[in-house]
Amino acid sequence: MTTTSAPTALENLLRRALLAFDARALHTGGEAGAHTALFLGGLAADILPAMDVSTGQTQEELAEAYRCLSLAGENPLRQSCAERESMVNIAVHALARALVRRNQGSAPSEDEVHELLSSLWTPSLLAWSQLFPEHLDGASPPCACGALGTRPILAPDDAKLRASPR
């Protein structure tokens, strides 16, 4: 029998940041946008205890993640969705570097960081459902950039395939 250990605080922080990125949450508005802002603010606040017990480069990476998530959530500079999404991406990479550094005890390569992030990727529909309550599935107006800020919809052919008896 194989047992897995409980996720650590860093792993949970990284997973939550990835959900926001994978769900395309920075493209939401209205009530869903408010939910995104609260989620990112809470995530940023949850980084502070990890920063307090970290040192050196890991602490700097966590501070970078904190700054980026705070700015993306609060958006005091009125940045575009793409700029905010880039900030979440920077935070995700900083958290991944901190996690790999903690696990290996040395500075991670970019390949190691990308390998970790690839292994944790969540399809948009699943990420959305894990981040947003069901009543927000259609609650966001379209994003100005053209991206959907709502629960991703299955393509018509996929929906027909899933509905047809086998």
Side-chain angles (χ1 to χ4, degrees):
M1 175 166 78
T2 305
T3 59
T4 58
S5 60
T8 66
L10 272 179
E11 290 166 332
N12 283 331
L13 292 168
L14 175 57
R15 181 77 187 113
R16 289 168 55 205
L18 278 167
L19 281 179
F21 188 80
D22 292 343
R24 311 274 330 249
L26 282 299
H27 296 279
T28 57
E31 191 180 350
H35 181 82
T36 298
L38 286 173
F39 178 83
L40 292 175
L43 178 54
D46 289 346
I47 290 174
L48 294 174
M51 279 177 48
D52 288 343
V53 297
S54 298
T55 59
Q57 189 63 34
T58 299
Q59 190 175 46
E60 290 177 27
E61 289 162 341
L62 293 173
E64 179 179 38
Y66 172 81
R67 280 189 301 275
C68 288
L69 290 169
S70 294
L71 285 172
E74 295 171 10
N75 199 18
L77 305 175
R78 312 306 316 153
Q79 294 175 306
S80 71
C81 56
E83 291 168 322
R84 293 171 63 218
E85 196 168 57
S86 288
M87 285 192 291
V88 172
N89 191 33
I90 291 168
V92 161
H93 279 77
L95 289 166
R97 284 191 306 273
L99 180 60
V100 172
R101 179 184 313 285
R102 189 216 50 208
N103 291 345
Q104 292 182 173
S106 61
S109 69
E110 282 303 308
D111 287 342
E112 291 167 323
V113 169
H114 287 276
E115 184 179 322
L116 172 62
L117 294 176
S118 293
S119 73
L120 296 173
W121 175 77
T122 303
S124 293
L125 183 60
L126 181 57
W128 179 278
S129 68
Q130 292 176 4
L131 182 62
F132 293 96
E134 188 176 333
H135 76 277
L136 294 179
D137 280 356
S140 178
C143 186
C145 77
L148 290 178
T150 59
R151 181 177 71 73
I153 308 291
L154 290 175
D157 291 338
D158 289 337
K160 286 179 192 172
L161 286 174
R162 294 193 194 295
S164 66
R166 295 204 161 127

